[in-house]
């Protein structure tokens, strides 16, 4: 067990994927970071098991995907979708999880969380200090003093900032006196992870069995692994549901038995929808499950936490480097809360559909789902909450910017690997650089900006036409995207000077009248 330094720029409480990613990104931005985690060793069993394209792009930005893309099993082929089936096995509705994704990765992927955590902890290196429990904190005008405890006694860490990524029962959140909102949804479910010993053929990447006799979920949970989830009925106690014999009994109708599978884990969880009412208290911030909790029916819990890490890290990094007004940090909580509340609402709505136990209401639900299968249009990716660091751009602002494959002087790969750029200014018409004066270009370079002409025949070739399709669909010729890949602004090629000027004003002056710390 190592002892954290007594003084750092940022202390991260919680060494799960969100805390580790936050530390990695802040370290890359030049901050001295320490992570304290109460458990002496990594949790060895699976928890989150699905991750979307945007979260993989965030991991790509942290350097994970270059050597570890094989950790993720993409949704693909005829079984790549998300299905709702009734108690008779009838397909009621399906969602195409193989549809094109903006971020350059498969729309949905299965993975094994302990493997991802091992990679992140190795990347975080000596910043991680295990066996330390958060005890208390005290803030003043210059920073935060945090008292932590270990078996060897207490220690105090002084930091400019603190991030509480310490889980759903966050002691940091409690110490800050932050309240929690509740969706009113609550259901106990048995989660079972296993390794198939025989080849299995699943109907889809995820299947929701909307059976009032026994609601269940089947999930492709990463290379060589599968998951079942079963809702607790009123006539079954939590204790009975949590027994190994119950797990085998419930999986038996699918042919999953001790002869065909190796049981890895079975545990009862209470699925809820909750959120912290504020995500910032002066110099302290919340992220991950400390800030939000959602039912897992859309597989978005960890994805939301990784978005938090990216959204907070680029803001803290710029403020730390003096490249943005400290009050830019005020936008983190409202923006992320608006985004995550939309996802929580969708997950809760899906849960209410799946968890219906009344046969008559279930029959009405089945009829509605059959109708939706014909008429429904899948909702777009949730837009950023407001206020956010964007400028009005015909509805494109706040949407995810694309990442496609590009070719530059013979090298082909995803844009972020070939061109990169924290702030990406991309045009399909021509080179943006001549439209920026020397002083503005120097400033844009300083904040990590890149300027790129991407087209079928341009210096950066649009290999698969991903950028051309995106520009045509959104009726614009240029976009300026943020480090978390959301569009700051978009427009015509001639709008480039205006967009960059608005970005500079937003980062340096727009929030200057609000509350901020120096």
């Amino acid at each position: 067990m190592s002892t954290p330094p007594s003084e750092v720029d940022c202390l991260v409480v919680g060494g799960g994927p969100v805390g580790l990613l936050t530390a990695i990104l802040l370290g890359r931005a030049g901050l001295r970071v320490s992570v304290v985690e109460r458990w002496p060793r990594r949790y060895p069993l699976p928890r989150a098991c699905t991750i979307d394209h945007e979260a993989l792009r965030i991991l790509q930005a942290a350097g994970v995907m270059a050597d570890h893309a094989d950790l993720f099993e993409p949704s693909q082929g005829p079984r790549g979708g998300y299905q709702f089936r009734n108690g008779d096995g009838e397909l009621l509705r399906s969602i195409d999880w193989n549809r094109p994704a903006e971020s350059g990765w498969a729309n949905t992927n299965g993975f094994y969380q302990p493997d991802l955590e091992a990679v992140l902890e190795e990347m975080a290196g000596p910043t991680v200090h295990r066996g330390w429990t958060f005890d208390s904190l005290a803030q003043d005008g210059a920073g935060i003093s945090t008292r932590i405890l270990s078996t060897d006694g207490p220690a105090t860490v002084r930091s400019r900032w603190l991030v509480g990524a310490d889980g759903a029962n966050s002691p940091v959140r409690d110490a800050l006196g932050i309240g929690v909102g509740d969706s009113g949804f609550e259901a106990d479910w048995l989660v079972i992870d296993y390794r198939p010993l025989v080849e299995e053929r699943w109907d889809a990447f995820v299947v929701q069995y909307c059976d009032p006799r026994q609601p269940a979920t089947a999930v492709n949970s990463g290379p060589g692994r599968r998951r079942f989830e079963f809702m607790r009925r009123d006539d079954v106690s939590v204790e009975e549901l949590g027994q190994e014999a119950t797990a085998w009994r419930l999986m038996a109708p699918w042919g999953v038995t001790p002869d065909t599978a190796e049981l890895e884990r079975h545990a009862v969880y209470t699925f809820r929808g909750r959120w912290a009412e504020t995500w910032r208290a002066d110099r302290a911030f919340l992220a991950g499950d400390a800030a939000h909790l959602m039912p897992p029916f859309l597989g978005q819990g960890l994805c939301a936490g990784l978005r938090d890490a990216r959204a907070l890290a680029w803001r803290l990094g710029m403020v730390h480097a003096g490249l943005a007004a400290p009050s830019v940090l005020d936008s983190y909580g409202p923006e992320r809360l608006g985004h995550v509340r939309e996802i929580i609402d969708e997950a809760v709505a899906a849960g209410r559909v799946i968890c219906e136990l009344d046969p008559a209401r279930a029959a009405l639900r089945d009829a509605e789902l059959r109708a939706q299968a014909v008429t429904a249009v899948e909702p777009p990716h949730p837009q950023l909450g407001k206020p956010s660091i964007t400028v009005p751009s015909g509805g494109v602002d706040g949407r995810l910017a694309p990442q496609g494959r590009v070719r530059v002087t013979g090298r082909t790969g995803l844009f972020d690997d070939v061109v990169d750029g924290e702030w990406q200014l991309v045009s399909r018409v021509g080179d943006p650089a001549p439209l920026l004066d020397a002083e503005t270009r120097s400033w844009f370079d300083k904040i990590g900006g890149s300027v790129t002409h991407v087209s079928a025949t341009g210096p950066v070739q649009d290999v698969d036409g991903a950028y051309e399709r995106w520009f045509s669909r959104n009726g614009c010729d240029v976009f300026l995207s943020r480090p978390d890949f959301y569009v700051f602004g978009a427009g015509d090629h001639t709008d480039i000077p205006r967009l960059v000027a608005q970005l500079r004003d937003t980062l340096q002056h727009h929030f200057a009248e609000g509350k901020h710390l120096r």
Side-chain angles (χ1 to χ4, degrees):
M1 180 180 66
S2 58
T3 300
S6 60
E7 186 172 345
V8 293
D9 295 316
C10 184
L11 178 66
V12 178
V13 180
V18 174
L20 292 171
L21 179 64
T22 302
I24 292 167
L25 294 173
L26 289 176
R28 289 188 165 209
L31 279 75
R32 296 171 301 143
V33 185
S34 283
V35 180
V36 291
E37 166 56 50
R38 65 190 180 104
W39 295 109
R41 289 174 294 278
R42 284 194 305 273
Y43 188 73
L45 298 175
R47 286 173 288 181
C49 69
T50 58
I51 192 167
D52 70 8
H53 59 98
E54 181 189 358
L56 288 192
R57 190 177 184 186
I58 292 170
L59 293 177
Q60 177 191 358
V64 173
M65 303 305 290
D67 297 319
H68 302 288
D70 59 346
L71 293 179
F72 307 97
E73 184 175 10
S75 59
Q76 56 189 347
R79 292 179 289 142
Y82 183 105
Q83 296 181 353
F84 291 86
R85 293 182 177 271
N86 65 11
D88 297 326
E90 175 191 359
L91 178 61
L92 301 172
R93 185 185 178 192
S94 63
I95 299 173
D96 180 12
W97 272 7
N98 294 329
R99 63 192 185 277
E102 299 95 329
S103 305
W105 297 94
N107 196 293
T108 304
N109 306 264
F111 77 107
Y112 182 60
Q113 183 169 330
D115 288 347
L116 175 60
E117 288 192 15
V119 169
L120 292 172
E121 186 161 347
E122 181 180 1
M123 293 177 66
T127 65
V128 181
H129 307 277
R130 289 188 168 273
W132 290 93
T133 301
F134 172 85
D135 180 62
S136 61
L137 61 82
Q139 300 202 54
D140 55 47
I144 302 178
S145 296
T146 303
R147 188 172 189 264
I148 54 177
L149 306 174
S150 76
T151 54
D152 294 332
T156 298
V157 178
R158 179 71 175 173
S159 62
R160 185 180 179 190
W161 314 103
L162 180 141
V163 179
D166 51 341
N169 297 315
S170 170
V172 170
R173 187 184 63 221
D174 290 344
L176 295 172
I178 295 175
V180 176
D182 196 312
S183 69
F185 177 87
E186 184 172 307
D188 295 328
W189 281 67
L190 173 65
V191 178
I192 309 167
D193 289 288
Y194 71 95
R195 292 176 177 264
L197 300 177
V198 298
E199 184 177 354
E200 296 182 336
R201 182 173 178 83
W202 284 37
D203 290 329
F205 196 88
V206 174
V207 181
Q208 301 291 357
Y209 293 99
C210 304
D211 185 351
R213 295 165 298 186
Q214 179 57 72
T217 303
V219 185
N220 184 332
S221 56
R225 289 181 167 84
R226 298 293 183 267
R227 171 176 291 184
F228 271 106
E229 299 170 351
F230 297 95
M231 181 182 170
R232 184 178 69 84
R233 295 179 52 89
D234 290 340
D235 56 354
V236 177
S237 68
V238 172
E239 292 72 24
E240 180 183 354
L241 185 66
Q243 295 175 6
E244 181 176 332
T246 302
W248 289 118
R249 174 177 61 80
L250 291 172
M251 291 191 294
W254 285 269
V256 181
T257 70
D259 294 328
T260 64
E262 174 189 341
L263 193 65
E264 260 197 323
R265 180 191 73 141
H266 61 287
V268 176
Y269 286 86
T270 302
F271 295 169
R272 297 185 174 95
R274 293 181 174 175
W275 55 89
E277 293 174 346
T278 182
W279 294 22
R280 178 185 185 184
D282 295 329
R283 296 181 176 272
F285 303 85
L286 300 179
D289 286 356
H292 48 75
L293 198 63
M294 63 187 70
F297 303 115
L298 300 181
Q300 281 291 308
L302 178 61
C303 299
L306 299 182
R307 292 186 193 104
D308 300 341
R310 184 63 172 169
L312 180 57
W314 74 256
R315 289 169 166 86
L316 276 175
M318 293 193 76
V319 169
H320 178 77
L323 298 173
S327 51
V328 165
L329 295 167
D330 291 340
S331 67
Y332 163 69
E335 183 179 280
R336 289 295 305 128
L337 178 58
H339 192 265
V340 82
R341 281 292 306 273
E342 185 173 342
I343 298 174
I344 290 174
D345 289 347
E346 290 182 9
V348 167
R352 297 193 191 282
V353 168
I354 296 160
C355 296
E356 182 56 69
L357 298 177
D358 181 86
R361 289 197 294 267
L364 293 174
R365 172 206 61 200
D366 293 354
E368 291 177 359
L369 287 176
R370 290 188 195 98
Q372 290 177 8
V374 176
T375 63
V377 176
E378 297 308 322
H381 190 285
Q383 197 165 4
L384 292 179
K386 299 294 184 181
S388 59
I389 298 180
T390 60
V391 292
S393 302
V396 183
D397 49 297
R399 297 290 183 191
L400 273 178
Q403 179 184 215
R405 289 196 310 144
V406 297
R407 182 180 297 114
V408 181
T409 59
R411 181 188 177 193
T412 300
L414 289 172
F415 185 98
D416 295 353
D417 294 329
V418 176
V419 179
D420 201 11
E422 290 284 293
W423 297 84
Q424 296 178 357
L425 180 60
V426 178
S427 172
R428 67 171 171 178
V429 174
D431 184 2
L435 278 71
L436 301 176
D437 62 63
E439 195 274 336
T440 299
R441 179 62 191 271
S442 175
W443 172 83
F444 195 59
D445 289 343
K446 186 181 295 186
I447 67 169
S450 63
V451 294
T452 313
H453 173 203
V454 177
S455 67
T457 58
V460 178
Q461 296 177 22
D462 188 3
V463 173
D464 303 312
Y467 288 91
E468 178 62 30
R469 288 191 296 273
W470 189 90
F471 281 122
S472 296
R473 184 171 64 249
N474 290 289
C476 57
D477 292 322
V478 63
F479 69 77
L480 174 55
S481 63
R482 310 179 335 176
D484 51 7
F485 317 120
Y486 287 89
V487 174
F488 169 79
D492 298 330
H493 187 75
T494 54
D495 290 322
I496 286 172
R498 173 182 61 81
L499 289 172
V500 177
Q502 288 176 308
L503 171 63
R504 189 172 188 175
D505 182 65
T506 298
L507 293 177
Q508 296 181 346
H509 307 296
H510 183 68
F511 293 94
E513 294 180 0
K515 174 187 175 184
H516 61 269
L517 299 170
R518 297 194 178 277

